[in-house]
Amino acid sequence: MRDWKVHELADNEGKWNLNILANLIPADILMKIAAIIPPKDEYGNDERVGIGRNNCGFSVAGMYNNICCHHEVEDNNMWRKAWRLKVPERVRTLVWMILHNRLLTNSLKNKMGLSHAMCEYCGDKEETTLHVMRDCPKAREVWTYVVPLSLRGIFFMGDLQHWIGFNLNSNSQRRGREDWSDFWALSCHCLWMWRNKECHDADFVRPHRPVRHILQLSEDYRNAVLNNSVALARNQVVTMIGWSPPKPLFIKLKTDGAYKDRQVAGCGGVLRGCQGEWLGSFAKWVGLCSAFIAELWGVVEGLRYAHQLGFRKVELNIDSEAVVRVLKDGTSNSMAGNSLLKHIRNLLAMDWIVEI
Ligand SMILES: [Zn+2]
């Protein structure tokens, strides 16, 4: 197969001949290939494309992200949760640093040759991030006050990533007024600030009642946000979403794509007339790709199908704003997206009227 060209892997109908590849390529890669539109003469000549965020230029970062599939993989939701904490910005930033394990603890300083690695308070324990935040008696003093006895085992167990995940994902540890993850983040911030002040300011004394201090901070912040939101409140308009018929002589094509984390994606759609009557529908197995690509596949298959059924005036409805935007802009950030877009442009340019 050394001299084969890519288009030889597609059959006469323009579909991938997956049987040929099935014995040569692992199944997960095969599913990724299935989600790419196969090449075809009518799509025009090959052209050079840039790999990266922009379509024309090459960037090392873009290439790296492409190879690692960073744009395709759903972000670890810990990061999203960290940025959605309802705490002051500096606290969110601290959580972000903890997640990266970048706090300048003695352990890290020691690796840089700047200090010994031990905790100033304990003396005989290495001061890692987890030590300052959880295991040092100074931190335990706060946590044992608020974490119920039944959860202490799991709270004081596991490595840093587990501990962060546990605290960002659970809101039930402390049935009090505030969200646990917000309280946890604020506590971490205080523990770190107090630790720093103790190191650098000889006169500093930790609050006598640390938990009460943290709760007060939390309440102050909540009140400030509340006051701000009252000041910024605007009238909201509630829009009911429902099916509306197409214009006279038009038919309506609705398409959708769906994807579940690390599972195969699919797309489908339905065609209906002015009276809401069913004119046709389709569904397709897409392969391994993002929700965005699955949505684009829905548009491709829907347009093909509508044209094949002989409809010449079509209103196209897509439920993804991102897809509508790229259809109007004409470019997307991914190569797979761009080849589908090119095909959609060809479909739209046929002998019919399609309104998006
Ligand atoms: Zn310590």
Side-chain angles (χ1 to χ4, degrees):
M1 292 169 73
R2 190 168 290 167
D3 298 326
W4 280 31
K5 295 197 168 148
V6 179
H7 75 89
E8 287 171 75
L9 292 167
D11 61 19
N12 295 336
E13 291 175 39
K15 291 180 182 160
W16 288 118
N17 197 336
L18 296 176
N19 292 337
I20 299 180
L21 297 171
N23 295 326
L24 304 168
I25 295 177
D28 54 329
I29 307 284
L30 204 62
M31 286 205 281
K32 285 189 178 179
I33 293 177
I36 298 168
I37 195 159
K40 210 175 177 186
D41 284 345
E42 65 195 54
Y43 301 161
N45 293 329
D46 287 351
E47 55 186 68
R48 283 177 79 142
V49 292
I51 301 170
R53 300 298 293 173
N54 53 5
N55 293 306
C56 44
F58 168 86
S59 76
V60 174
M63 182 66 124
Y64 177 76
N65 286 335
N66 251 305
I67 292 170
C68 303
C69 300
H70 282 165
H71 54 286
E72 286 174 13
V73 177
E74 281 284 298
D75 290 332
N76 181 340
N77 75 7
M78 274 220 282
W79 300 101
R80 210 172 304 145
K81 289 213 160 126
W83 286 120
R84 284 186 186 161
L85 288 169
K86 292 184 199 73
V87 291
E89 190 65 27
R90 62 178 179 277
V91 178
R92 273 194 290 272
T93 308
L94 180 95
V95 171
W96 185 78
M97 290 190 55
I98 297 174
L99 267 163
H100 275 296
N101 203 6
R102 296 307 299 167
L103 284 190
L104 209 52
T105 56
N106 285 347
S107 169
L108 187 62
K109 276 196 210 161
N110 182 251
K111 284 178 189 147
M112 298 170 171
L114 298 173
S115 148
H116 62 82
M118 297 304 160
C119 171
E120 305 286 349
Y121 180 75
C122 305
D124 60 341
K125 299 262 168 51
E126 186 177 350
E127 193 199 47
T128 58
T129 303
L130 201 55
H131 181 83
V132 187
M133 293 300 166
R134 186 188 74 183
D135 298 333
C136 188
K138 295 229 166 190
R140 276 180 180 262
E141 185 189 342
V142 170
W143 301 126
T144 45
Y145 197 82
V146 287
V147 178
L149 209 54
S150 58
L151 286 164
R152 277 186 208 161
I154 188 161
F155 183 88
F156 288 107
M157 215 167 61
D159 62 11
L160 183 64
Q161 292 298 318
H162 277 106
W163 189 65
I164 298 168
F166 175 73
N167 287 295
L168 284 179
N169 284 313
S170 55
N171 295 318
S172 55
Q173 277 96 337
R174 189 177 189 285
R175 296 178 211 289
R177 292 167 300 170
E178 55 272 295
D179 200 306
W180 171 260
S181 41
D182 297 340
F183 176 82
W184 168 79
L186 265 175
S187 305
C188 288
H189 186 258
C190 288
L191 288 168
W192 184 241
M193 297 308 293
W194 295 336
R195 176 260 183 215
N196 289 342
K197 283 184 178 167
E198 274 176 347
C199 287
H200 303 292
D201 178 356
D203 298 331
F204 175 77
V205 185
R206 286 196 184 221
H208 177 52
R209 289 179 165 148
V211 173
R212 183 176 287 189
H213 181 89
I214 298 165
L215 286 172
Q216 187 60 49
L217 281 179
S218 157
E219 194 175 331
D220 289 350
Y221 179 70
R222 221 179 13 254
N223 287 338
V225 170
L226 205 65
N227 291 339
N228 201 29
S229 66
V230 168
L232 294 173
R234 278 176 291 171
N235 289 336
Q236 287 191 338
V237 182
V238 177
T239 314
M240 300 302 281
I241 299 170
W243 190 83
S244 55
K247 287 185 291 195
L249 304 176
F250 273 76
I251 64 122
K252 189 164 260 189
L253 165 62
K254 275 199 162 194
T255 65
D256 199 4
Y259 146 89
K260 224 175 175 187
D261 194 23
R262 293 177 197 284
Q263 293 177 34
V264 289
C267 68
V270 60
L271 289 106
R272 293 167 87 180
C274 300
Q275 308 294 322
E277 73 277 21
W278 179 89
L279 298 170
S281 54
F282 67 94
K284 180 186 161 77
W285 175 89
V286 172
L288 205 60
C289 65
S290 64
F292 173 73
I293 297 296
E295 293 271 2
L296 282 179
W297 267 108
V299 176
V300 168
E301 292 298 330
L303 288 174
R304 269 186 195 163
Y305 184 53
H307 194 268
Q308 189 188 327
L309 290 180
F311 297 111
R312 292 298 177 261
K313 287 183 174 179
V314 176
E315 275 182 27
L316 172 61
N317 271 201
I318 309 152
D319 68 343
S320 156
E321 255 183 58
V323 171
V324 174
R325 199 168 52 242
V326 296
L327 285 182
K328 292 192 169 160
D329 292 352
T331 58
S332 97
N333 288 332
S334 75
M335 285 217 289
N338 274 329
S339 56
L340 281 163
L341 272 177
K342 196 172 164 190
H343 187 49
I344 292 170
R345 273 201 298 280
N346 288 338
L347 289 168
L348 291 174
M350 291 191 302
D351 53 330
W352 62 343
I353 301 169
V354 180
E355 292 182 359
I356 300 167

